[in-house]
Amino acid sequence: ALPALEDAKIALKDLDKADVTEIRSFAKPPPAVQVVCECIVLIKGGKDISWKAAKGMMSDPNFLSSLMNLDVDGIKPNTVKAINDKLKRLDTPMDRMREISVAGA
C-alpha cells in the first residue's frame, strides 16, 4: 500500500480550497465522491460516517493540511479493513474518479 500512499500525498499537493469547496457544494454527491469522503472521515476517527459528517469535516480551514500531516502509521487495522471494504464496493477506476471530481480522486 506504500505506493498508493505516496500517490495520495502527491495528489493532495495538487488540491486547494476551491477543490474542497467544490465537493462541499454537492447536496447529494456522486456516489464515488461520497465514498471517498466517508473513507476520510473513517481515517480521521469520525464516528458518524455520513455525507453530513464529511461536509462538516471539510469545512475546517485546516482540512487539507490535516490530511498532509496525517499519522498514517496510526491508522488502526480495523479502520484500514473498513476503508478497503468501502473502496472495493465502489469499483470506480481512478481515471473515472478524475472525471467525476478532481478533488474526489
Side-chain angles (χ1 to χ4, degrees):
L2 219 46
L5 180 59
E6 288 307 312
D7 288 347
K9 284 185 176 185
I10 291 166
L12 271 174
K13 290 178 184 174
D14 291 335
L15 294 181
D16 60 27
K17 288 185 180 194
D19 296 318
V20 175
T21 300
E22 170 205 324
I23 290 180
R24 285 183 45 225
S25 71
F26 292 124
K28 182 165 176 40
V33 171
Q34 181 166 343
V35 168
V36 169
C37 291
E38 288 175 354
C39 287
I40 295 170
V41 172
L42 276 167
I43 289 170
K44 292 178 73 67
K47 302 297 180 219
D48 174 21
I49 311 304
S50 67
W51 177 238
K52 182 179 178 183
K55 283 177 76 166
M57 173 190 65
M58 289 184 282
S59 68
D60 178 349
N62 297 314
F63 173 67
L64 287 175
S65 63
S66 76
L67 293 179
M68 289 296 294
N69 299 317
L70 191 67
D71 175 18
V72 294
D73 294 325
I75 300 172
K76 296 177 182 163
N78 60 336
T79 301
V80 172
K81 182 183 180 327
I83 290 167
N84 284 334
D85 290 347
K86 276 184 162 294
L87 293 175
K88 282 178 191 167
R89 287 194 306 266
L90 178 63
D91 193 33
T92 301
M94 189 58 70
D95 54 345
R96 177 69 184 117
M97 276 298 293
R98 285 189 188 94
E99 291 171 16
I100 295 168
S101 168
V102 171

